[in-house]
Amino acid sequence: MKAASQNNPNSGWEAKAVEFFKDHLNEKDAHTWVPSLNDVPLHYLKPNSLVKFRCLIQDMFDPEFYMGVYEAVNPSTRDKVLRCGKYKDVTECGVDFNSKNTVTAERQTFYCVPIPGESPWVKECYAGLSQARDVPSTSYAPARQKRSYEEDDDMDTQPQKQREPHAGPQTASEHHGNGDCKRQETEAPSSQVASASRVDLNFPLPGEKGPSCLLKVYEDWDGFKLNDAVEVFGILSVSPALSALADEKDASSSLLDPADSMETAEEQRVHSPPASLVPRLHMLYAKPLPHNNPLLPAAACEQNSAYLSSTRSEMATVRTELLAYFTHILLGDALAAEYLILHLISNVYHRHDVLPLGKFTLNLSGCPTEASYTERFYQIIQQLVPSSYYLGMTLQNMNQMRLVPKKDYVANRLVSGALQLARNTSLFLDESRLEQGQLDTTGVRNVTALGNVISWQKFDYDFNYHQMGIPCNINVLIASEGRSLLPSDCRIHLQSQVAPSDVEEYLRSIHTQSQASQLNKFRVYLSVARLLDYSISDEVTKSVEDDFVEMRKDDPQSISAEDLHRMLVVARLLSLSLGQTSLSRDGWLRAKHIEALRRSRMEQHKCVNGNEQ
């Protein structure tokens, strides 16, 4: 793009530039040549270069003004030249602030973090697909090196360290350290670590690693929502001048009259963190992520695409393999394995007033306490889904963890909570960790929030003076010994075919049997099943209504409207699990059959265990 056209605000170069990048990035595999903030360390990336970032919008700051066009004075010739201020944070030297040609423009800033709970296999697969060169840039090494020995930059670390995921369950004590970045875990000067610890990266989940960034959006920012998962392509800005300006503000804030500044010192720290820890990304193009499964091509999201058609034809076969795999994991219980498949492909596809349609929270009761079964079970689920989080429901976790995001008015930011998750994240609630004790105010609030997520796929964010309900789309699986204290859409009691003393050895065999190629088939299957459209013909609808009337004739108490709704959800998920996009008569009868088996089992369990429902 020539300087002359940049200097002319009416040339339309901005729209042409955005269109150029958008067209080229949509070409086959073109995006793989763009380095990613997710898997390339920041000090390997050249400032002012094109990068991408797979992220979640964690917070939305107030709009900011910047110099869209400004006049600069050439120090040698004293000539005045118009410059464009777009896609940059720092203007060039010699700005004429009194120029009549200055144009003030507006942009929106989002605070973005890596997708919470993204599975290790997803990170590894995305990194493996990248064609970008993963070598340090030498063109700017001296400036970056100088900055790295100052107070805020602790970027010297091995590239592979940045990719290490947090695979296991966490405790509440880890949650309060979520601002620590991975780079602090490597050896670094104490001054660097001390400075980095001042910056809370505000990750929703404890133990999360990776960069966060300030995303600068120049147009159509109303199209983005809080908690949206997006892949952003933009210009990277890591100018040390940003950190210097922030430090100057920080040092002088105590000397200034509060009335002279619209920002508090705390707000300045949050909104202007060191660029070496929180880089700025000036957006050229962004696309929403309906899923973050790297094994699916971009065309998979297009309904009736050739990819979906070819995959649908194989889904019944893959389902049979997956059913056998889950039956083995669930200690020989094939019926529980059926319901686990249905749960993992469930998805809120529509909201009717306040009612979310498509959700299917599963309570798997009867989980053994031997051999850390629930934790191992979660690790197997984590190997199959793109994003997940394990929450052990201990008394300490419930009373100490921050599940609900809260507005901090002093820093003017939304402090993250563990329930601030991307759509279709699998939330594994381990209720077998429950113990006797008293829930405090925080514990009651956390349990209430979990109940609202399950029942309404929505929970209240804490804005101090009021509560604001924010919708979500989270797949909740509850593992418990008895009936869960939380609500659920469906409960099935596990019937183990393995003696308690043999559980340890039995589970060990699962890890040795699963192959990467088989796991990839399962991963693709679970994601594709969520993307399929679904419909019910008028003929089948009439047949379902007639069945419902017949079932209630003999014993009106035997089936309720809630039971019918559950059967319809099961029938929908059962059809999609077989790659069928409409409900057939056979599909309805099969749904009735497995529901009858489940209800029969629950009745038998109720008889054996007295009053347990």
Side-chain angles (χ1 to χ4, degrees):
M1 196 66 65
K2 293 183 179 180
S5 63
Q6 288 190 21
N7 298 338
N8 181 2
N10 298 317
S11 66
W13 71 268
E14 301 168 10
K16 293 175 184 176
V18 172
E19 199 63 32
F20 171 85
F21 282 106
K22 189 180 296 186
D23 290 344
H24 281 72
L25 288 169
N26 280 324
E27 292 177 3
K28 184 180 180 182
D29 297 332
H31 63 279
T32 63
W33 292 95
V34 181
S36 172
L37 281 172
N38 297 94
D39 47 55
V40 179
L42 189 59
H43 65 284
Y44 276 44
L45 298 171
K46 187 175 180 179
N48 304 316
S49 63
L50 179 67
V51 299
K52 63 185 177 184
F53 188 35
R54 192 174 63 258
C55 58
L56 174 116
I57 299 175
Q58 189 274 324
D59 197 3
M60 296 177 158
F61 294 161
D62 295 329
E64 64 181 24
F65 294 102
Y66 71 100
M67 298 176 72
V69 177
Y70 62 93
E71 200 165 47
V73 180
N74 189 315
S76 56
T77 64
R78 309 305 297 173
D79 292 337
K80 293 186 176 181
V81 182
L82 283 180
R83 301 290 186 192
C84 176
K86 202 170 185 180
Y87 305 121
K88 61 178 69 172
D89 291 289
V90 181
T91 59
E92 298 174 19
C93 296
V95 178
D96 182 0
F97 292 102
N98 297 318
S99 172
K100 295 180 180 179
N101 295 319
T102 300
V103 177
T104 302
E106 186 181 26
R107 61 191 178 196
Q108 178 71 53
T109 303
F110 298 149
Y111 187 82
C112 298
V113 297
I115 294 176
E118 194 169 67
S119 298
W121 66 267
V122 173
K123 298 177 188 292
E124 292 168 7
C125 192
Y126 271 119
L129 290 172
S130 176
Q131 303 291 324
R133 294 178 61 200
D134 192 13
V135 293
S137 171
T138 57
S139 61
Y140 68 104
R144 296 288 298 144
Q145 192 172 22
K146 177 184 177 184
R147 188 63 195 166
S148 70
Y149 288 102
E150 294 176 7
E151 69 277 3
D152 59 30
D153 194 339
D154 57 344
M155 295 304 299
D156 291 331
T157 183
Q158 296 89 344
Q160 63 270 24
K161 286 277 188 178
Q162 182 128 349
R163 297 177 189 169
E164 287 181 8
H166 185 87
Q170 303 98 355
T171 62
S173 59
E174 291 174 311
H175 184 75
H176 297 286
N178 66 10
D180 296 336
C181 99
K182 180 68 181 178
R183 295 167 296 226
Q184 289 175 224
E185 296 180 14
T186 60
E187 294 182 9
S190 58
S191 61
Q192 295 176 20
V193 175
S195 171
S197 64
R198 290 189 297 120
V199 180
D200 179 6
L201 298 182
N202 209 19
F203 293 140
L205 298 181
E208 288 283 282
K209 313 301 175 189
S212 55
C213 83
L214 289 175
L215 178 63
K216 309 287 185 176
V217 184
Y218 291 87
E219 58 186 20
D220 301 329
W221 53 72
D222 291 337
F224 296 91
K225 301 192 298 295
L226 194 68
N227 303 333
D228 275 357
V230 293
E231 185 170 42
V232 181
F233 296 85
I235 306 300
L236 176 68
S237 175
V238 288
S239 173
L242 292 170
S243 301
L245 289 171
D247 294 340
E248 288 173 11
K249 284 184 179 181
D250 199 19
S252 62
S253 60
S254 58
L255 305 175
L256 296 174
D257 184 340
D260 293 339
S261 176
M262 296 180 65
E263 288 186 334
T264 64
E266 185 62 30
E267 187 173 353
Q268 288 172 0
R269 269 193 292 272
V270 168
H271 290 239
S272 303
S276 54
L277 294 178
V278 184
R280 280 59 165 170
L281 187 58
H282 296 265
M283 190 183 90
L284 288 167
Y285 167 60
K287 57 182 180 181
L289 290 176
H291 65 82
N292 58 319
N293 187 338
L295 300 175
L296 268 62
C301 299
E302 301 170 8
Q303 289 299 330
N304 302 318
S305 68
Y307 177 81
L308 280 184
S309 300
S310 63
T311 308
R312 276 179 55 198
S313 63
E314 303 169 0
M315 286 182 69
T317 304
V318 178
R319 186 190 193 281
T320 301
E321 296 177 22
L322 182 59
L323 183 63
Y325 182 64
F326 279 160
T327 300
H328 191 51
I329 290 167
L330 295 172
L331 310 177
D333 190 339
L335 184 61
E338 285 271 8
Y339 278 90
L340 181 58
I341 291 176
L342 303 187
H343 161 75
L344 289 175
I345 66 171
S346 63
N347 171 51
V348 177
Y349 63 90
H350 181 67
R351 292 181 186 269
H352 183 69
D353 294 330
V354 298
L355 184 65
L357 303 180
K359 71 184 183 74
F360 194 63
T361 296
L362 182 64
N363 174 204
L364 186 66
S365 60
C367 291
T369 55
E370 296 86 8
S372 303
Y373 174 76
T374 51
E375 293 182 15
R376 294 193 180 195
F377 181 28
Y378 165 72
Q379 289 167 1
I380 290 166
I381 297 297
Q382 187 185 36
Q383 290 183 343
L384 298 176
V385 298
S387 303
S388 62
Y389 178 55
Y390 171 95
L391 176 57
M393 292 182 64
T394 62
L395 192 65
Q396 181 186 16
N397 279 355
M398 290 296 97
N399 285 339
Q400 294 184 13
M401 284 190 70
R402 186 174 60 240
L403 298 188
V404 176
K406 181 177 182 178
K407 180 71 175 182
D408 180 352
Y409 286 95
V410 175
N412 190 21
R413 71 163 177 178
L414 184 66
V415 180
S416 64
L419 288 179
Q420 194 173 7
L421 303 171
R423 59 177 292 159
N424 294 140
T425 299
S426 290
L427 177 60
F428 189 101
L429 300 181
D430 188 356
E431 212 173 278
S432 69
R433 304 277 301 277
L434 274 176
E435 58 217 336
Q436 287 188 343
Q438 184 71 37
L439 288 175
D440 59 17
T441 304
T442 301
V444 172
R445 186 185 301 120
N446 283 338
V447 171
T448 301
L450 289 172
N452 287 334
V453 168
I454 292 167
S455 299
W456 309 107
Q457 286 294 312
K458 178 180 180 179
F459 66 101
D460 291 336
Y461 283 36
D462 186 359
F463 283 81
N464 291 356
Y465 310 108
H466 69 283
Q467 307 295 307
M468 181 181 293
I470 304 292
C472 58
N473 190 351
I474 301 172
N475 285 39
V476 184
L477 176 62
I478 309 168
S480 60
E481 289 184 74
R483 182 185 179 90
S484 173
L485 300 176
L486 294 167
S488 65
D489 297 306
C490 180
R491 178 193 169 204
I492 184 164
H493 195 80
L494 190 64
Q495 285 189 348
S496 173
Q497 308 300 313
V498 180
S501 58
D502 298 331
V503 170
E504 175 80 40
E505 184 179 350
Y506 183 88
L507 291 176
R508 199 178 296 120
S509 69
I510 294 174
H511 292 285
T512 59
Q513 289 178 9
S514 54
Q515 301 294 324
S517 58
Q518 185 188 44
L519 290 177
N520 282 344
K521 279 200 296 186
F522 296 160
R523 292 161 179 166
V524 169
Y525 168 87
L526 293 173
S527 293
V528 167
R530 277 202 182 117
L531 297 173
L532 296 177
D533 272 340
Y534 175 79
S535 62
I536 305 179
S537 67
D538 293 340
E539 181 183 353
V540 175
T541 301
K542 180 68 167 59
S543 177
V544 169
E545 291 172 351
D546 292 342
D547 269 5
F548 180 59
V549 172
E550 285 296 321
M551 285 185 282
R552 286 181 61 87
K553 265 185 182 178
D554 298 331
D555 185 3
Q557 303 302 319
S558 64
I559 186 168
S560 63
E562 183 181 345
D563 294 325
L564 175 64
H565 175 74
R566 185 189 304 109
M567 280 195 289
L568 285 170
V569 172
V570 168
R572 174 182 179 271
L573 296 173
L574 200 55
S575 298
L576 293 176
S577 73
L578 292 164
Q580 300 168 359
T581 56
S582 61
L583 180 61
S584 64
R585 177 65 182 168
D586 288 342
W588 169 245
L589 293 176
R590 184 171 178 177
K592 282 174 57 180
H593 175 66
I594 68 168
E595 264 295 278
L597 292 176
R598 185 192 66 84
R599 293 179 67 184
S600 173
R601 177 185 295 188
M602 298 314 297
E603 285 295 326
Q604 293 173 9
H605 179 70
K606 179 180 176 182
C607 293
V608 172
N609 291 273
N611 292 327
E612 184 181 354
Q613 296 297 312

